[in-house]
Amino acid sequence: GKNGVPVAENFRLEQSTIADTIQAGQVRVRTLYLSVDPYMRCRMNEDTGSDYFLPWQLSEVADGGGIGIVEESKHDNLAKGDFVTSFNWPWQTVAILDGSLLQKLIPQLVNGHLSYFLGAAGITGLTALLGVREKGHVAAGANQTMVVSGAAGACGSLAGQIGRLEGCSRVVGIAGTDEKCSILVQEMGFDAAINYKKGKVAEQLRELCPNGVDVYFDNVGGDISDTVISQMNQNSHIILCGQISQYNKDVPYPPPLPPDTEKIQKERNITRERFLVLNYMDKQEASIVQLCQWIQEGKLKVRETVVEGLANIGAAFQSMMNGGNIGKQIVSVSK
């Protein structure tokens, strides 16, 4: 149902067999890494709220971002030993896939960290970079202040760093533990971070953003976002990336703002438009090149929470939805 928090027991592991032979155009792959992401909560509803991903079906194999190595190929452009990825990778240890739907990976682009192609050098990094560029209206030298909610998560931790690289003069994160706040400031170059579970967010935000907020990278929605919006400047911008606080509730996406917050948004001419990275695929290649360059240069710091074993993917999903991870949630399936 649309209301309710997902738990590990929503998933089960089954043992099965696959065909001994593959057909022309197919490859057999061994899964190395699977991505676990907040948007997957929407795939547990019959109506996902979007036309670009389908609901998972009961008693069928789940899927999502994945990386594997080719063990056998009957596809002209893929050979045994190639590393490949797909946005619709089945949650299986071994699979037979259509080679034309796979993208070949070059590990050297991410200093050998293959799993980064599911995060900082993949759809997560694209979401952060294109979100900042297309909806943030960041301009070098404009003395802009950016606030990021869900700042220790996969997208938020990248978005804050990218905001700085693109020209923001001040970046403040909002996260749920002191450890996360410390990592944001000490490792990822945020100017400050607020633990929303301690003290009053509004007071801390006023202290840390004395000139108000110009760009808000919104990953969470709800009360935190209402608080940030109340301190945003005239003609400022909300990058509407995610609303994880609302994913376990039966509300439309993006959820409407409360009347008082909506009034502030309209009076201050604050932009708040739904952002879909898939609408900017013409900029994908150049953006991935930029992300990989920043990673190689050490300008983009990457954090992952890695869980070992396909059997533990349900628990990994539950932990992520409860905000228990830092950075990208990855399941390592086999070595």
Side-chain angles (χ1 to χ4, degrees):
K2 289 191 174 183
N3 291 301
V5 180
V7 294
E9 290 72 28
N10 293 141
F11 301 88
R12 71 171 182 264
L13 184 68
E14 291 184 351
Q15 192 155 356
S16 185
T17 57
I18 62 173
D20 293 330
T21 58
I22 61 175
Q23 305 300 315
Q26 292 184 327
V27 295
R28 186 173 69 242
V29 294
R30 177 164 52 87
T31 304
L32 299 177
Y33 299 104
L34 294 170
S35 176
V36 180
D37 303 284
Y39 84 88
M40 291 174 169
R41 174 62 184 86
C42 303
R43 299 192 67 186
M44 301 177 81
N45 302 331
E46 189 171 347
D47 177 9
T48 65
S50 173
D51 55 6
Y52 66 94
F53 52 78
L54 299 172
W56 285 330
Q57 298 299 310
L58 292 175
S59 297
E60 296 291 332
V61 179
D63 68 318
I67 289 172
I69 185 169
V70 176
E71 293 191 322
E72 183 184 358
S73 175
K74 288 189 177 179
H75 188 277
D76 292 341
N77 297 328
L78 297 173
K80 183 178 180 180
D82 284 345
F83 295 107
V84 291
T85 187
S86 168
F87 192 62
N88 299 108
W89 197 284
W91 287 7
Q92 300 174 191
T93 55
V94 179
I96 294 174
L97 303 175
D98 181 345
S100 65
L101 302 179
L102 300 175
Q103 181 182 355
K104 193 187 298 188
L105 300 175
I106 304 172
Q108 294 87 339
L109 292 177
V110 287
N111 299 327
H113 294 283
L114 264 178
S115 56
Y116 285 10
F117 285 114
L118 294 178
I123 197 78
T124 310
L126 283 173
T127 301
L129 177 57
L130 292 170
V132 170
R133 287 184 171 175
E134 300 297 329
K135 298 295 184 182
H137 301 276
V138 173
N143 197 32
Q144 291 164 300
T145 295
M146 172 186 275
V147 171
V148 183
S149 58
C155 199
S157 61
L158 299 172
Q161 297 179 76
I162 291 169
R164 166 82 76 212
L165 289 166
E166 290 289 288
C168 285
S169 59
R170 185 163 183 79
V171 179
V172 175
I174 302 175
T177 69
D178 288 343
E179 178 192 11
K180 290 178 178 180
C181 290
S182 176
I183 288 170
L184 290 173
V185 174
Q186 295 179 16
E187 285 187 23
M188 298 183 171
F190 283 62
D191 292 283
I194 296 168
N195 181 348
Y196 69 86
K197 295 181 181 178
K198 285 187 174 181
K200 294 183 178 179
V201 173
E203 291 179 5
Q204 296 178 75
L205 205 57
R206 270 191 291 272
E207 181 181 334
L208 295 172
C209 305
N211 297 320
V213 178
D214 302 296
V215 184
Y216 173 39
F217 200 100
D218 185 7
N219 287 304
V220 301
D223 294 341
I224 288 176
S225 289
D226 295 339
T227 301
V228 175
I229 293 169
S230 72
Q231 297 188 35
M232 293 186 74
N233 294 324
Q234 193 76 23
N235 302 318
S236 54
H237 304 282
I238 299 169
I239 303 165
L240 190 58
C241 179
Q243 303 280 277
I244 194 170
S245 70
Q246 308 299 304
Y247 286 171
N248 297 320
K249 303 174 183 177
D250 186 4
V251 294
Y253 186 87
L257 295 171
D260 289 348
T261 306
E262 186 178 20
K263 183 180 179 183
I264 290 171
Q265 182 210 343
K266 290 181 177 178
E267 288 177 348
R268 298 180 191 171
N269 193 34
I270 302 169
T271 63
R272 181 182 184 261
E273 301 165 344
R274 185 171 186 175
F275 169 70
L276 298 176
V277 69
L278 297 179
N279 290 343
Y280 301 93
M281 284 298 97
D282 59 316
K283 301 182 180 181
Q284 175 182 356
E285 189 173 343
S287 299
I288 291 290
V289 169
Q290 176 67 85
L291 291 164
C292 290
Q293 182 180 334
W294 281 336
I295 292 169
Q296 289 175 335
E297 294 172 348
K299 293 180 179 178
L300 196 61
K301 302 290 193 292
V302 183
R303 272 276 189 152
E304 294 178 326
T305 298
V306 181
V307 173
E308 299 287 340
L310 183 61
N312 296 315
I313 199 166
F317 186 79
Q318 177 180 338
S319 174
M320 178 208 56
M321 289 301 299
N322 289 330
N325 60 308
I326 296 174
K328 183 73 177 181
Q329 178 77 70
I330 298 287
V331 174
S332 175
V333 178
S334 61
K335 298 293 186 184

